PDB file of all heavy atoms in Angstrom:
ATOM      1  N   MET A  20     -19.048  10.737  13.891  1.00  0.00           N
ATOM      2  CA  MET A  20     -19.753   9.956  14.920  1.00  0.00           C
ATOM      3  C   MET A  20     -19.779  10.712  16.239  1.00  0.00           C
ATOM      4  O   MET A  20     -20.765  10.676  16.956  1.00  0.00           O
ATOM      5  CB  MET A  20     -19.106   8.588  15.091  1.00  0.00           C
ATOM      6  CG  MET A  20     -19.386   7.667  13.906  1.00  0.00           C
ATOM      7  SD  MET A  20     -18.551   6.093  14.038  1.00  0.00           S
ATOM      8  CE  MET A  20     -19.275   5.430  15.509  1.00  0.00           C
ATOM      9  N   ALA A  21     -18.715  11.410  16.561  1.00  0.00           N
ATOM     10  CA  ALA A  21     -18.665  12.176  17.808  1.00  0.00           C
ATOM     11  C   ALA A  21     -19.651  13.339  17.769  1.00  0.00           C
ATOM     12  O   ALA A  21     -20.147  13.771  18.799  1.00  0.00           O
ATOM     13  CB  ALA A  21     -17.255  12.686  18.064  1.00  0.00           C
ATOM     14  N   GLN A  22     -19.922  13.850  16.577  1.00  0.00           N
ATOM     15  CA  GLN A  22     -20.844  14.972  16.426  1.00  0.00           C
ATOM     16  C   GLN A  22     -22.293  14.532  16.239  1.00  0.00           C
ATOM     17  O   GLN A  22     -23.180  15.361  16.197  1.00  0.00           O
ATOM     18  CB  GLN A  22     -20.419  15.829  15.219  1.00  0.00           C
ATOM     19  CG  GLN A  22     -19.031  16.402  15.335  1.00  0.00           C
ATOM     20  CD  GLN A  22     -18.871  17.285  16.543  1.00  0.00           C
ATOM     21  OE1 GLN A  22     -19.701  18.117  16.815  1.00  0.00           O
ATOM     22  NE2 GLN A  22     -17.800  17.088  17.282  1.00  0.00           N
ATOM     23  N   ALA A  23     -22.540  13.235  16.083  1.00  0.00           N
ATOM     24  CA  ALA A  23     -23.889  12.730  15.829  1.00  0.00           C
ATOM     25  C   ALA A  23     -24.780  12.993  17.027  1.00  0.00           C
ATOM     26  O   ALA A  23     -24.325  13.062  18.172  1.00  0.00           O
ATOM     27  CB  ALA A  23     -23.834  11.236  15.523  1.00  0.00           C
ATOM     28  N   ASP A  24     -26.067  13.141  16.764  1.00  0.00           N
ATOM     29  CA  ASP A  24     -27.026  13.338  17.840  1.00  0.00           C
ATOM     30  C   ASP A  24     -27.304  12.010  18.530  1.00  0.00           C
ATOM     31  O   ASP A  24     -27.292  10.947  17.902  1.00  0.00           O
ATOM     32  CB  ASP A  24     -28.321  13.926  17.270  1.00  0.00           C
ATOM     33  CG  ASP A  24     -28.152  15.374  16.849  1.00  0.00           C
ATOM     34  OD1 ASP A  24     -27.329  16.079  17.450  1.00  0.00           O
ATOM     35  OD2 ASP A  24     -28.859  15.799  15.922  1.00  0.00           O
ATOM     36  N   PHE A  25     -27.566  12.097  19.803  1.00  0.00           N
ATOM     37  CA  PHE A  25     -27.833  10.910  20.604  1.00  0.00           C
ATOM     38  C   PHE A  25     -28.539  11.342  21.883  1.00  0.00           C
ATOM     39  O   PHE A  25     -28.608  12.529  22.202  1.00  0.00           O
ATOM     40  CB  PHE A  25     -26.532  10.177  20.947  1.00  0.00           C
ATOM     41  CG  PHE A  25     -25.623  11.004  21.828  1.00  0.00           C
ATOM     42  CD1 PHE A  25     -25.698  10.933  23.213  1.00  0.00           C
ATOM     43  CD2 PHE A  25     -24.704  11.879  21.273  1.00  0.00           C
ATOM     44  CE1 PHE A  25     -24.870  11.719  24.017  1.00  0.00           C
ATOM     45  CE2 PHE A  25     -23.877  12.669  22.063  1.00  0.00           C
ATOM     46  CZ  PHE A  25     -23.964  12.583  23.434  1.00  0.00           C
ATOM     47  N   TYR A  26     -29.047  10.361  22.598  1.00  0.00           N
ATOM     48  CA  TYR A  26     -29.543  10.580  23.944  1.00  0.00           C
ATOM     49  C   TYR A  26     -29.138   9.375  24.780  1.00  0.00           C
ATOM     50  O   TYR A  26     -28.762   8.338  24.235  1.00  0.00           O
ATOM     51  CB  TYR A  26     -31.056  10.812  23.972  1.00  0.00           C
ATOM     52  CG  TYR A  26     -31.889   9.625  23.569  1.00  0.00           C
ATOM     53  CD1 TYR A  26     -32.452   8.785  24.525  1.00  0.00           C
ATOM     54  CD2 TYR A  26     -32.113   9.330  22.231  1.00  0.00           C
ATOM     55  CE1 TYR A  26     -33.214   7.693  24.153  1.00  0.00           C
ATOM     56  CE2 TYR A  26     -32.869   8.247  21.853  1.00  0.00           C
ATOM     57  CZ  TYR A  26     -33.425   7.429  22.819  1.00  0.00           C
ATOM     58  OH  TYR A  26     -34.173   6.343  22.449  1.00  0.00           O
ATOM     59  N   TYR A  27     -29.178   9.538  26.077  1.00  0.00           N
ATOM     60  CA  TYR A  27     -28.800   8.446  26.969  1.00  0.00           C
ATOM     61  C   TYR A  27     -30.050   7.698  27.414  1.00  0.00           C
ATOM     62  O   TYR A  27     -31.059   8.300  27.790  1.00  0.00           O
ATOM     63  CB  TYR A  27     -28.084   8.983  28.215  1.00  0.00           C
ATOM     64  CG  TYR A  27     -26.697   9.477  27.925  1.00  0.00           C
ATOM     65  CD1 TYR A  27     -26.447  10.827  27.743  1.00  0.00           C
ATOM     66  CD2 TYR A  27     -25.626   8.594  27.823  1.00  0.00           C
ATOM     67  CE1 TYR A  27     -25.176  11.293  27.486  1.00  0.00           C
ATOM     68  CE2 TYR A  27     -24.348   9.051  27.554  1.00  0.00           C
ATOM     69  CZ  TYR A  27     -24.126  10.401  27.399  1.00  0.00           C
ATOM     70  OH  TYR A  27     -22.867  10.854  27.134  1.00  0.00           O
ATOM     71  N   TYR A  28     -29.963   6.374  27.360  1.00  0.00           N
ATOM     72  CA  TYR A  28     -31.035   5.528  27.871  1.00  0.00           C
ATOM     73  C   TYR A  28     -30.376   4.342  28.561  1.00  0.00           C
ATOM     74  O   TYR A  28     -29.575   3.642  27.944  1.00  0.00           O
ATOM     75  CB  TYR A  28     -31.953   5.062  26.736  1.00  0.00           C
ATOM     76  CG  TYR A  28     -33.111   4.233  27.229  1.00  0.00           C
ATOM     77  CD1 TYR A  28     -34.184   4.837  27.869  1.00  0.00           C
ATOM     78  CD2 TYR A  28     -33.119   2.852  27.075  1.00  0.00           C
ATOM     79  CE1 TYR A  28     -35.247   4.096  28.342  1.00  0.00           C
ATOM     80  CE2 TYR A  28     -34.171   2.101  27.547  1.00  0.00           C
ATOM     81  CZ  TYR A  28     -35.235   2.725  28.174  1.00  0.00           C
ATOM     82  OH  TYR A  28     -36.276   1.981  28.649  1.00  0.00           O
ATOM     83  N   ASN A  29     -30.675   4.172  29.832  1.00  0.00           N
ATOM     84  CA  ASN A  29     -30.051   3.121  30.638  1.00  0.00           C
ATOM     85  C   ASN A  29     -28.526   3.179  30.558  1.00  0.00           C
ATOM     86  O   ASN A  29     -27.853   2.153  30.490  1.00  0.00           O
ATOM     87  CB  ASN A  29     -30.540   1.735  30.224  1.00  0.00           C
ATOM     88  CG  ASN A  29     -31.955   1.478  30.676  1.00  0.00           C
ATOM     89  OD1 ASN A  29     -32.443   2.090  31.627  1.00  0.00           O
ATOM     90  ND2 ASN A  29     -32.640   0.571  29.997  1.00  0.00           N
ATOM     91  N   GLY A  30     -27.992   4.385  30.531  1.00  0.00           N
ATOM     92  CA  GLY A  30     -26.545   4.572  30.513  1.00  0.00           C
ATOM     93  C   GLY A  30     -25.891   4.394  29.158  1.00  0.00           C
ATOM     94  O   GLY A  30     -24.685   4.545  29.035  1.00  0.00           O
ATOM     95  N   ASN A  31     -26.682   4.072  28.135  1.00  0.00           N
ATOM     96  CA  ASN A  31     -26.137   3.873  26.791  1.00  0.00           C
ATOM     97  C   ASN A  31     -26.467   5.058  25.906  1.00  0.00           C
ATOM     98  O   ASN A  31     -27.546   5.640  26.012  1.00  0.00           O
ATOM     99  CB  ASN A  31     -26.727   2.602  26.157  1.00  0.00           C
ATOM    100  CG  ASN A  31     -26.352   1.364  26.934  1.00  0.00           C
ATOM    101  OD1 ASN A  31     -25.202   1.151  27.281  1.00  0.00           O
ATOM    102  ND2 ASN A  31     -27.345   0.541  27.241  1.00  0.00           N
ATOM    103  N   LYS A  32     -25.529   5.375  25.006  1.00  0.00           N
ATOM    104  CA  LYS A  32     -25.781   6.418  24.017  1.00  0.00           C
ATOM    105  C   LYS A  32     -26.620   5.804  22.897  1.00  0.00           C
ATOM    106  O   LYS A  32     -26.197   4.846  22.254  1.00  0.00           O
ATOM    107  CB  LYS A  32     -24.481   6.938  23.412  1.00  0.00           C
ATOM    108  CG  LYS A  32     -23.781   7.970  24.230  1.00  0.00           C
ATOM    109  CD  LYS A  32     -22.592   8.506  23.448  1.00  0.00           C
ATOM    110  CE  LYS A  32     -21.907   9.613  24.207  1.00  0.00           C
ATOM    111  NZ  LYS A  32     -20.755  10.152  23.475  1.00  0.00           N
ATOM    112  N   ILE A  33     -27.800   6.363  22.680  1.00  0.00           N
ATOM    113  CA  ILE A  33     -28.683   5.891  21.622  1.00  0.00           C
ATOM    114  C   ILE A  33     -28.605   6.899  20.474  1.00  0.00           C
ATOM    115  O   ILE A  33     -29.004   8.056  20.632  1.00  0.00           O
ATOM    116  CB  ILE A  33     -30.142   5.766  22.128  1.00  0.00           C
ATOM    117  CG1 ILE A  33     -30.212   4.937  23.416  1.00  0.00           C
ATOM    118  CG2 ILE A  33     -31.040   5.230  21.029  1.00  0.00           C
ATOM    119  CD1 ILE A  33     -29.735   3.518  23.294  1.00  0.00           C
ATOM    120  N   PRO A  34     -28.076   6.493  19.327  1.00  0.00           N
ATOM    121  CA  PRO A  34     -27.938   7.434  18.215  1.00  0.00           C
ATOM    122  C   PRO A  34     -29.292   7.744  17.578  1.00  0.00           C
ATOM    123  O   PRO A  34     -30.173   6.888  17.511  1.00  0.00           O
ATOM    124  CB  PRO A  34     -27.028   6.695  17.235  1.00  0.00           C
ATOM    125  CG  PRO A  34     -27.204   5.251  17.549  1.00  0.00           C
ATOM    126  CD  PRO A  34     -27.539   5.167  19.010  1.00  0.00           C
ATOM    127  N   ILE A  35     -29.443   8.966  17.141  1.00  0.00           N
ATOM    128  CA  ILE A  35     -30.645   9.398  16.435  1.00  0.00           C
ATOM    129  C   ILE A  35     -30.207  10.286  15.281  1.00  0.00           C
ATOM    130  O   ILE A  35     -29.107  10.838  15.292  1.00  0.00           O
ATOM    131  CB  ILE A  35     -31.628  10.151  17.367  1.00  0.00           C
ATOM    132  CG1 ILE A  35     -30.934  11.284  18.106  1.00  0.00           C
ATOM    133  CG2 ILE A  35     -32.286   9.197  18.340  1.00  0.00           C
ATOM    134  CD1 ILE A  35     -31.835  12.090  19.012  1.00  0.00           C
ATOM    135  N   THR A  36     -31.083  10.401  14.288  1.00  0.00           N
ATOM    136  CA  THR A  36     -30.746  11.163  13.090  1.00  0.00           C
ATOM    137  C   THR A  36     -31.666  12.363  12.963  1.00  0.00           C
ATOM    138  O   THR A  36     -32.896  12.210  13.012  1.00  0.00           O
ATOM    139  CB  THR A  36     -30.899  10.271  11.835  1.00  0.00           C
ATOM    140  OG1 THR A  36     -30.082   9.110  12.008  1.00  0.00           O
ATOM    141  CG2 THR A  36     -30.480  11.015  10.584  1.00  0.00           C
TER     142      THR A  36
END
Side-chain angles (χ1 to χ4, degrees):
M20 288 176 62
Q22 300 301 314
D24 288 330
F25 65 90
Y26 66 98
Y27 288 99
Y28 183 75
N29 287 337
N31 297 312
K32 278 186 177 180
I33 308 299
I35 52 179
T36 304

